[in-house]
Structure formats: C-alpha cells, structure tokens
Amino acid sequence: MTLLDEPPFAAPSAEAVMARAGTENFPVASRLLRAAEREHLLAVYGFARLVDELGDSAAGDRLAALDWLEQELEQAFAGRARHPLMVRLQATIADCALSADPVGELVLAVFGQSSPERIALSDRICTALQLTEHCQDVAEDLRRGRVYLPAEDLARFGCEERDLSACNASPALRSVLAFEVERARDLIAAGLPLIGMLSGRARLAVAAFAAGGSAALDAIERASYDVLPGPPAAGNGRRLAALLATLRRPEARRR
C-alpha cells in the first residue's frame, strides 16, 4: 500500500470530531478519573469517532477515506501518525497492548482490567449502547441514506422504510423501537456483572457507561418511542439517578 502524504479528501478536524463527545449518552471520560486515564479514554473515543465519521459521513470516496485511516493507524503504531487524533492515540497504543481491539476492550485495557470474561461482559454493554444510539438516530441516519434498525425486526412489526421518514413515528415504528429498547436493556443487564468485578475509578467509569445507556433508553420510552422529531435525551439529573441505581443493582455488586 502506497503511503499517502495527504488524505484524498477533507479530513475532519480533531476539534470537530471531539465536539461530539458532549452529545453522547455516556460520559466519555469523567473528570473523576485520573488525568492519564481521561487522556487515554479521550484518545480511544477520538479514534472511534473518526472511524465513524469517515465511514458514514465523509464526502466522496469513503472507502478511500478508510484506507487512508488504516494507513494512519499503521503509522500510529510506528509512532509516525499525522492526523492530530491519531497522534493522540499513539500514547495509548504505547501503554495498551490490546489497542487494536474493540473500544470496550480498550476501555478495560486503559484501566488494566482486561480478561476474557470481562471483555465478553463489556461487549454486551457496548452492543446495547450502539443499539440505543441507532434507536435515537433513526431520522438522522435515514437522511444520510442509512437504516440501522434490523430489517427482520422492521418486517416483523410491519414497519416500512417510509415510516422512518415521517414527521412522527407510526404505531409500527413505535413497536419496533419498543422491542429494540427492551433488547438493549437486556444486554445492559447481562453486562452488569462486569461492574462487580471492578473497583475504584474503573468501576465508576463502566457503571457510568451502562447508566448513560439506561437513561437514554428511559428517555426514548418517555417519548412514547417517537424519535423522529429528534433524539430523546436524558438530562444530567436523570443520568446521575441512573448511575446510582446501576451501582445498587444486585448484578453490579462487588464480588
């Protein structure tokens, strides 16, 4: 693969990518964490969001954009990345041997808490968070030519693509979203034993991720599953309440 001096497109700036952190359902890097832990989590987030932006939103040839990012990742492993987000990731790569694996595994690695059992539990929480985002962003995704709700579930409830472009959710779409919300809740619950395996800041960080997802799912339910006018969002108060409730869940208690 020939190394490109410049990306074959207008790469999003680090500032534009990281601005999305404040809109996530979960705290990307709580200020209660140590500075080094926060920096690693922000670096991981920046990389994951950059992949998402290039794959979903880049103008022009997105495959070429992802090829460029693959080169940047290889250069980051060699300590020679050029994009600011990839330069930031280099320090995390140096400190975290599993840095090429999924984001949930990266978070555990940042805290030195990786194990096969914990990674499997983390995968459940991360899948739930992704599913929650897909439920929130139905209208935005459709405007970008994407439908992330499972086709088999849309068919099961008689929901057609034109339902996704309406001003308000149809009964069929609400049924699909109610089903997906319960699926996401089940996944979060299945991953909660991970919190009981952790301690200190790692425990708090993972609990906050799970609680943010739970609060977002509650917001979708409070909106009667009508996400088309805009993504239902939980306020900080509800997120804090969800965090306290998550830490009290029997599945999340310390072992």
Side-chain angles (χ1 to χ4, degrees):
M1 182 182 297
T2 302
L3 183 63
L4 300 174
D5 293 331
E6 298 293 339
F9 59 96
S13 69
E15 293 76 14
V17 172
M18 295 306 295
R20 295 287 299 273
T23 68
E24 298 289 0
N25 292 316
F26 53 89
V28 172
S30 171
R31 296 188 181 279
L32 298 177
L33 303 177
R34 294 187 182 94
E37 293 167 340
R38 276 178 47 79
E39 177 58 28
H40 285 320
L41 290 176
L42 287 169
V44 170
Y45 173 84
F47 169 66
R49 178 55 67 185
L50 182 58
V51 173
D52 187 60
E53 291 291 326
L54 295 182
D56 288 343
S57 307
D61 189 340
R62 295 177 186 174
L63 292 179
L66 292 173
D67 285 343
W68 168 81
L69 184 58
E70 181 181 1
Q71 292 181 5
E72 272 290 280
L73 183 59
E74 292 174 358
Q75 292 299 301
F77 274 94
R80 298 192 297 270
R82 293 154 296 179
H83 191 281
L85 290 176
M86 303 305 292
V87 172
R88 188 178 196 176
L89 186 66
Q90 288 176 166
T92 300
I93 289 174
D95 287 348
C96 171
L98 297 177
S99 57
D101 290 332
V103 172
E105 187 171 346
L106 280 168
V107 171
L108 291 176
V110 164
F111 291 105
Q113 299 289 332
S114 292
S115 73
E117 182 180 9
R118 291 172 180 174
I119 290 168
L121 293 169
S122 173
D123 287 346
R124 295 169 186 168
I125 294 174
C126 290
T127 299
L129 293 176
Q130 186 66 72
L131 181 56
T132 301
E133 184 174 325
H134 290 336
C135 289
Q136 289 177 312
D137 295 341
V138 171
E140 178 183 349
D141 288 336
L142 187 66
R143 286 194 295 271
R144 296 181 177 182
R146 308 190 304 257
V147 176
Y148 285 140
L149 296 175
E152 62 187 42
D153 296 338
L154 293 172
R156 173 180 179 179
F157 293 100
C159 183
E160 300 183 7
E161 186 169 320
R162 65 171 177 266
D163 292 320
L164 311 185
S165 61
C167 294
N168 295 96
S170 66
L173 177 56
R174 291 173 198 253
S175 296
V176 173
L177 292 171
F179 179 77
E180 304 303 344
V181 164
E182 285 309 305
R183 173 180 282 174
R185 283 182 172 144
D186 289 345
L187 285 166
I188 290 175
L192 288 183
L194 172 62
I195 299 171
M197 298 178 181
L198 305 174
S199 61
R201 292 178 174 85
R203 173 177 164 80
L204 181 62
V206 174
F209 294 154
S214 295
L217 292 169
D218 290 343
I220 295 172
E221 184 175 15
R222 285 195 302 274
S224 300
Y225 306 101
D226 188 5
V227 301
L228 297 186
N236 290 334
R238 291 186 184 275
R239 289 181 181 179
L240 177 59
L243 175 58
L244 296 176
T246 296
L247 290 170
R248 289 195 297 264
R249 290 275 294 268
E251 308 98 303
R253 290 177 184 166
R254 291 288 307 282
R255 293 187 179 182

